[in-house]
Amino acid sequence: GIPVRTTLDNSTTIQYAGLLHQLTMKARRTVRYLDPQNDLTFLRIRSKKHEIMVAPDKEYLLIVIQNPSE
Amino acid sequence: MEIVYVYTRRRSEFGRPCSFSDRPAKVNVDIPPDPTAASGFILRNPVDSCVQHVSDMSVHEVNTERVEVESHGINHVEGGWPKDINAQEVEQTIRFRKKVAKDENYINTIVHLGALMEHCVKQNNAIDIYEEYFEEEELLEMEDEPPSAKTINVIRDPNITKRTATQLSWHPNTCRKLAVAYSSLEFQRNVKDMSFDSYIWDLENPMKPELVLKPFSPLVSLAYNPKDSHVLLGGCYNGQMVYWDTRRGGLPMEVSTMEFSHRDPVYGAIWLQSKTGTECFSASTDGQVLWWDIRKLSEPTETLVLDITRKGLLENALGAVTLEFEPTMPTKFMVGTEQGIVIACNRKAKSPPEKITSTYSGHHGPVYGLARNPFYPKIFLTVGDWTARVWSEDIKESSIMWTKYHLSYLTDGCWSTVRPSVFFTTRSDGTLDVWDFLFKQKDPSLSLKVCDEPLSSLCLQEDGCIVGCGSQLGTVTLLEISSGLCTLQRNEKNLVNAMFERETKREKILEVRHREMRLKERARLEGQGMEAEERPAESPQDVLERTRREFFEVIQAELQKRGQAGTQHP
């Protein structure tokens, strides 16, 4: 996917954009497969260092990386 | 190739052709039913009969070849730009971006998504859903689940001619890597194309070794430097010492010279505690223990000849099969020999004969495993012939506890790093035994058949949960032990301490008693020697009577002592 606006540096943004786009597609396909009426609204990936939140839409994708509050 | 045999006969010799004709049926035998035979049977009503109309199926097992998995990285380059825009041109990309930003759909979508995202971010900020809520409830009582162990991984020797995995060593910090030394310990059985390599395996990838170590002669022993996890020490089959730096690849950094090395395979190689972290020592069946400094492997810094008569003669020396060193006691170390004797030595003694402090004999065969209890350094475990024995350093005459004689001989053993009463032994019938002395003393708590071929070595990971066993065909099996055997129980240290002390006391009492009896015997013999001419010859009957009396006296005394010791059992 093409990053339109970003607050991180270019290479990281491109990495995140590419990988998360694919992951979101896969997640959406999975949700749809399990129940055709369902659709993916939000995707949260929590890792040791931070939490990645992805809000998908038909054409665009909003990705936020947050440090967990602990 | 067809095997054909041709019979030929002339048609005229066949005889008359048979001519068949029909005739009506003829009854040959008629047996009427005999009702009296029914008395031997009971009428069964109802009768269960199974009927199933299913197509017949057969079972066939197939084992596929292991799938080779490789990890590849993908390099993401910007893509997805429409055709007319060149991704390298910054101007064009900026222009495109601006155009998109003005798109109405974009604005709506972003606002909508932004609201959604804000909701989740606020959620995150408000509550941390992954925090530890009930910390006090962690103290679950360990139910008496039966101890068990699970195989988590099996690493096979990738070469065609399989060699024995003679020693394993875990990577000191991460414990995700395992270094295994492969060699063939059969005397003069070296097949020509047997490879000399030993491997470092990463547990994530059991198919392909992470690093191949290429010594000049197969490695018999291998150890990671506990201070510097990149350096490994190896002892070769031909007696040389080698060391590697894993950052520099698989070829040895330095090899000790042939003249000053051992003359026999180096069975024990251990790193020493030193400020420089470069000192190590090695032992071999040629009867020598040599100290080395890694930086200068051309000659050993110190030597010791394992001669228990303390004369330092190489001819009398005993061959060393295992070596043991405890970092908390840096000057003392122990050597297990081929003759079944364990020698405790002090490195800092002033003269060579003083170096050997004490010997403990009790095994009938070579001592294959030697380990100190990490919690009680005075107690150590020896594994050899068909038993495993636990010794206390103070009692030199015999072991304080021992296992029964097994059917197959034991090849290696080590203590658990977390529980003072648990130790592991491997047998030559491929079984791994886990012993828990507090729980059961006659039998192992857990006995697992790991493989069909003999197990040759054993190494426990530092956290005490995962144990690696190496077998004769080079297969290393990693087992995870159930948590009951690797978590410290309440009060365990006290109980174990009490048990060891009790056994030590028992042995001490026995030792004192033996000494007394021996003194008495000696005194009596001396007394007898003086009156030898005047004493009348005792008839065999009298001798028998006397010995029988003495025998029973001794038994009585023993029973009394045992009774006293028994009342001290908790």
Side-chain angles (χ1 to χ4, degrees), chain B residues 365-556:
Chain B
V367 178
Y368 283 117
L370 182 56
R372 272 190 211 259
N373 191 329
F375 295 87
Y376 299 100
K378 284 208 160 188
I379 311 282
F380 60 95
L381 167 76
T382 60
V383 169
D385 61 58
W386 297 272
T387 61
R389 288 169 190 270
V390 177
W391 305 72
S392 162
E393 255 188 11
D394 309 320
I395 313 286
K396 301 199 189 354
E397 288 218 345
S398 81
S399 52
I400 58 175
M401 291 192 285
W402 56 91
T403 67
K404 62 174 196 251
Y405 280 84
H406 297 277
L407 292 169
S408 52
Y409 60 89
L410 288 129
T411 50
D412 202 356
C414 71
W415 288 98
S416 159
T417 44
V418 279
R419 286 191 59 181
S421 69
V422 173
F423 65 92
F424 303 85
T425 53
T426 54
R427 299 223 291 256
S428 70
D429 61 357
T431 321
L432 171 74
D433 291 329
V434 181
W435 297 78
D436 182 355
F437 259 130
L438 274 188
F439 183 61
K440 218 190 326 181
Q441 291 186 5
K442 285 210 193 307
D443 288 316
S445 302
L446 177 62
S447 193
L448 273 173
K449 185 125 173 86
V450 173
C451 48
D452 291 325
E453 63 264 11
L455 287 175
S456 53
S457 55
L458 176 68
C459 192
L460 189 64
Q461 207 185 47
E462 269 155 38
D463 57 3
C465 285
I466 303 188
V467 63
C469 323
S471 78
Q472 206 179 39
L473 290 183
T475 313
V476 175
T477 315
L478 294 166
L479 297 142
E480 182 176 348
I481 326 170
S482 67
S483 50
L485 286 171
C486 55
T487 42
L488 198 58
Q489 314 275 17
R490 280 173 291 144
N491 221 12
E492 181 171 340
K493 280 204 185 162
N494 292 341
L495 288 174
V496 169
N497 202 12
M499 188 172 72
F500 283 142
E501 278 181 15
R502 187 184 72 218
E503 298 294 331
T504 324
K505 216 191 310 188
R506 175 179 73 100
E507 280 301 323
K508 228 183 275 190
I509 294 176
L510 283 178
E511 198 181 323
V512 166
R513 179 99 188 105
H514 277 146
R515 216 177 297 156
E516 276 176 25
M517 281 184 9
R518 249 182 279 136
L519 278 174
K520 237 187 280 174
E521 262 302 313
R522 213 176 302 154
R524 193 151 37 103
L525 278 176
E526 281 171 15
Q528 280 181 355
M530 289 201 284
E531 324 164 352
E533 295 99 21
E534 298 160 21
R535 250 193 25 191
E538 273 186 328
S539 68
Q541 272 302 92
D542 290 346
V543 174
L544 195 57
E545 277 305 310
R546 181 164 56 88
T547 43
R548 191 183 292 164
R549 233 182 311 123
E550 284 172 8
F551 178 62
F552 279 120
E553 276 172 34
V554 170
I555 295 283
Q556 286 293 340

Side-chain angles (χ1 to χ4, degrees), chain B residues 6-44:
Chain B
V6 179
Y7 292 87
T8 51
R9 208 170 172 195
R10 289 184 62 188
R11 179 69 186 78
S12 52
E13 291 167 14
F14 277 15
R16 268 183 53 202
C18 352
S19 73
F20 294 102
S21 58
D22 281 328
R23 67 169 166 78
K26 191 175 85 172
V27 178
N28 281 339
V29 178
D30 187 16
I31 307 174
D34 185 10
T36 55
S39 58
F41 298 88
I42 305 174
L43 185 64
R44 193 167 164 193

